[in-house]
Amino acid sequence: MKKNIFDCASGKTVEVDLTPEELAETEQKAGTPPMPTQEEQLLLALSDTQMRLAEQQALTDKLALAISDMQIGGTTT
């Protein structure tokens, strides 16, 4: 059975002749993303946590600046 696939080496789409077994294997690989390793999962969790901490720090900084502005300006709003 003929199938169009992307050839990474040439950067072009090429037509190849596959057996039904090869075609099924190709379709299965294309539909199943690889599972990240435990180390990759931990690194992603660490990156996510660091981003959340940075967002919280930015909000804390904005709040501190607003409080300082209120104290300097004497605004009680």
Side-chain angles (χ1 to χ4, degrees), residues 38-54:
Q38 184 177 10
E39 182 180 358
E40 290 170 331
Q41 290 176 354
L42 290 171
L43 287 172
L44 286 170
L46 177 61
S47 296
D48 184 56
T49 301
Q50 288 172 328
M51 286 185 57
R52 289 173 190 254
L53 285 171

Side-chain angles (χ1 to χ4, degrees), residues 1-68:
M1 174 175 264
K2 299 217 182 269
K3 175 149 178 89
N4 291 327
I5 61 169
F6 182 75
D7 181 15
C8 294
S10 68
K12 296 179 180 178
T13 301
V14 294
E15 187 176 90
V16 293
D17 196 14
L18 300 174
T19 65
E21 293 82 18
E22 290 172 327
L23 182 60
E25 183 179 328
T26 302
E27 295 297 329
Q28 182 181 14
K29 285 182 182 178
T32 307
M35 284 294 298
T37 64
Q38 184 177 10
E39 182 180 358
E40 290 170 331
Q41 290 176 354
L42 290 171
L43 287 172
L44 286 170
L46 177 61
S47 296
D48 184 56
T49 301
Q50 288 172 328
M51 286 185 57
R52 289 173 190 254
L53 285 171
E55 289 171 351
Q56 288 179 350
Q57 185 62 50
L59 290 173
T60 302
D61 291 347
K62 284 182 179 181
L63 179 59
L65 182 60
I67 291 170
S68 295

